[in-house]
């Protein structure tokens, strides 16, 4: 299902919760929730809303880090990445 999202208005976390409440995602699970959290953090970093912890980490490593999603077939990786992309401004 494709859902219209106003780009930039909500992040992956809010969109994930909205889809769970709307019954578009049945319950979700803890691994999806961890992935959504990582994607939300990445979005915040990309939009300049970095936390002090991230700034410290980036300074130590000299580079910005992304998110790597992996898992079995049907776990929701593509759905989560699509959701992440559609919530970017």
């Amino acid at each position: 299902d494709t859902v219209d999202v106003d780009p930039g208005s909500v992040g992956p976390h809010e969109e994930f919760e909205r889809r769970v409440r709307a019954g578009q995602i049945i319950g979700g699970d803890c691994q999806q929730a961890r992935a959504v959290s990582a994607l939300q953090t990445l979005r915040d970093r990309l939009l300049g809303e970095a936390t002090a912890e991230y700034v410290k980490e980036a300074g130590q490593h000299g580079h910005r880090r992304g998110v790597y999603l992996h898992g079995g077939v049907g776990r929701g990786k593509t759905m989560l990445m699509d959701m992440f992309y559609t919530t970017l401004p």
Side-chain angles (χ1 to χ4, degrees):
D1 284 332
T2 301
V3 176
D4 290 328
V5 174
D6 179 17
S9 66
V10 298
H13 182 264
E14 293 90 353
E15 180 60 15
F16 181 78
E17 292 298 321
R18 187 194 67 76
R19 290 183 187 192
V20 169
R21 284 191 307 274
Q24 296 170 334
I25 299 173
I26 306 301
D29 62 37
C30 65
Q31 290 177 335
Q32 285 178 337
R34 285 181 35 208
V36 167
S37 178
L39 291 170
Q40 180 68 50
T41 299
L42 176 60
R43 180 184 186 274
D44 293 346
R45 291 176 192 167
L46 291 171
L47 297 180
E49 302 167 10
T51 63
E53 179 182 325
Y54 171 70
V55 172
K56 179 180 175 186
E57 176 186 302
Q60 289 174 346
H61 298 291
H63 64 284
R64 294 187 174 199
R65 298 169 85 178
V67 174
Y68 178 76
L69 297 179
H70 61 93
V73 174
R75 296 291 299 146
K77 299 175 298 294
T78 300
M79 175 202 64
L80 294 176
M81 286 305 301
D82 288 346
M83 186 172 24
F84 171 75
Y85 180 77
T86 60
T87 63
L88 290 172

